[in-house]
Amino acid sequence: MLLRIENTPRPYAWGSTTAIAELLGMTPSGAPEAELWLGDHPGSPARIVGADAGGASDLSTLLRARGEKLPFLLKVLAAAEPLSLQAHPTIAQAREGFARENAAGIALDAPDRNYKDELHKPELVYALSDPFIALAGFRPVAASHAALVAVGEPGLEPLIARLDVDASLPEVVRWLIEGGPAIARIVDALTDCARALEHSPRDSETWATVRRLADHYPGDPGIALSTLMHTVVLRPGEALYLPTGNIHSYQQGLAIEVMAASDNVLRGGLTPKHVDVPELMRVLDARPVAEPRIAPVEVQPGVRRFTPDVVDFALTVIEAGAAADGVTIETHGPAIVLCLEGELTLQGELALQRGQAAYADESALGLVGGGSAVVATGSHPGP
């Protein structure tokens, strides 16, 4: 089965008013356009265009009637403002939390509900804009300590003291997220330092992040937490993989995001929404890590695949011109294709132009044309 699909961008307040429309050759709505969802997620299922799909008008209805469900969701994400600090549970944590909240009688749509399903939610984000900026994972404690000591601001001494050689990072994280007058003073001192360092030789991505967050979330404890994290600057074609437990916040830019199809989010700040500190600390992996970048494998000239360590998804990128003489991707299951530039023909029958997308459940997907595209599949497809 090969179907053209489309959707309407989600109007979250943090979204760009132009980026998605410019990428896909659409007319901007005038409102924020934050995420374009391409999948069968019931929150915004992709619509089926111009085909007889057994009476189904969207992918959710079609796949549910067949007893099927996509294990992934493909998005175009356009952040004009920082998103919340968040982490996602493992499958075991999600199952336990979902059952616990059901037993407690918490409605699925309650604002204090943490677990909407029994699934994990690892994510991969592939940069389209230059730059795409994200907070992702904790950096070594010594690096955070050194950055704070270097500015010589007395107001930061309580945080510096916590970040000594014997620091328990989870304890420091919890102390910051819980907030209070002492944390508010630290946040104020960090904000003052960041403003003073702008355009100075000692400025850095860390302090640029503090300024950005202070502009959008003044006084939020997440500002202090950001100084313990990597500020990752991606260039077009680079990607991050965020496993369960990794704390992150997309800051600004345009990207393709592919993830397990879950709604389970534990927030840690930079949001007016519910922050459940004890539950966040249960799922949070507070160990320092390297910047969580993921490198692709070139499976054919101009065709690169990002394959994380989960079975839910992989992302294949087809560069402009790589399919001029045809390429074949073994999908081993359903796939979502989004044309980013030019034109591509799928299976010799369905032409996609810039901004158009398709659902396919072929075992192998042939593409021909000079355009570029991204293809989301289950993990570990062949070349």
Side-chain angles (χ1 to χ4, degrees):
M1 179 177 288
L2 196 60
L3 300 170
R4 264 257 295 126
I5 57 173
E6 66 180 12
N7 213 338
T8 301
R10 308 288 282 174
Y12 304 141
W14 49 263
S16 168
T17 58
T18 60
I20 291 178
E22 289 175 354
L23 173 71
L24 303 181
M26 301 160 54
T27 301
S29 66
E33 296 177 340
E35 296 180 344
L36 179 73
W37 293 17
L38 296 171
D40 66 339
H41 193 291
S44 182
R47 299 185 297 270
I48 297 169
V49 180
D52 182 3
S57 61
D58 62 64
L59 273 188
S60 179
T61 303
L62 173 68
L63 297 184
R64 191 169 60 247
R66 297 166 61 180
E68 300 173 2
K69 180 173 176 53
L70 288 175
F72 59 83
L73 175 62
L74 177 69
K75 295 181 181 180
V76 182
L77 180 146
E81 300 177 6
L83 282 66
S84 63
L85 281 165
Q86 56 190 263
H88 309 296
T90 65
I91 288 180
Q93 291 166 338
R95 287 174 177 167
E96 186 278 328
F98 185 74
R100 173 165 31 92
E101 292 187 339
N102 282 348
I106 304 173
L108 278 175
D109 59 353
D112 60 343
R113 177 97 189 197
N114 294 313
Y115 297 96
K116 306 297 180 64
D117 52 60
E118 296 182 295
L119 300 174
H120 64 173
K121 193 187 175 191
E123 300 175 357
L124 186 150
V125 62
Y126 172 80
L128 297 175
S129 62
D130 189 2
F132 182 88
I133 303 175
L135 281 167
F138 292 108
R139 57 183 180 166
V141 171
S144 300
H145 184 275
L148 297 173
V149 168
V151 297
E153 167 55 52
L156 300 182
E157 289 176 359
L159 178 55
I160 291 169
R162 292 266 182 160
L163 295 174
D164 59 22
V165 292
D166 297 319
S168 166
L169 193 51
E171 291 179 6
V172 175
V173 170
R174 183 166 193 151
W175 173 64
L176 290 174
I177 295 176
E178 287 179 337
I183 307 305
R185 289 191 291 272
I186 291 170
V187 170
D188 288 344
L190 286 168
T191 301
D192 290 344
C193 285
R195 304 247 188 255
L197 289 171
E198 189 170 12
H199 307 306
S200 83
R202 293 190 296 162
D203 201 7
S204 67
E205 292 293 344
T206 294
W207 296 112
T209 294
V210 170
R211 287 192 295 273
R212 184 185 310 113
L213 298 182
D215 287 343
H216 293 287
Y217 299 99
D220 193 289
I223 294 171
L225 192 61
S226 77
T227 64
L228 310 186
M229 298 174 62
H230 295 286
T231 294
V232 184
V233 179
L234 297 181
R235 304 302 176 189
E238 297 179 337
L240 287 176
Y241 170 56
L242 305 169
T244 56
N246 179 291
I247 191 165
H248 57 277
S249 164
Y250 300 140
Q251 296 285 290
Q252 68 178 49
L254 180 68
I256 297 295
E257 185 182 20
V258 60
M259 67 192 69
S262 170
D263 284 330
N264 291 326
V265 178
L266 282 302
R267 295 178 177 85
L270 309 179
T271 179
K273 295 182 179 180
H274 178 58
V275 176
D276 185 333
V277 178
E279 197 63 30
L280 172 66
M281 297 309 299
R282 285 192 188 98
V283 308
L284 184 66
D285 185 346
R287 294 173 297 179
V289 295
E291 288 188 355
R293 295 172 181 262
I294 182 170
V297 172
E298 186 170 61
V299 295
Q300 299 176 44
V303 180
R304 297 176 297 141
R305 179 174 297 127
F306 295 88
T307 306
D309 61 352
V310 292
V311 299
D312 306 77
F313 60 83
L315 183 71
T316 301
V317 179
I318 302 170
E319 298 176 358
D325 296 322
V327 298
T328 299
I329 298 173
E330 294 184 14
T331 59
H332 300 292
I336 301 289
V337 183
L338 173 63
C339 182
L340 299 176
E341 179 185 353
E343 183 173 316
L344 290 164
T345 300
L346 311 185
Q347 305 295 74
E349 59 179 274
L350 180 60
L352 294 183
Q353 298 179 343
R354 172 188 172 197
Q356 295 181 333
Y359 165 81
D361 62 359
E362 314 281 338
S363 60
L365 192 58
L367 303 96
V368 179
S372 65
V374 291
V375 183
T377 63
S379 191
H380 307 302

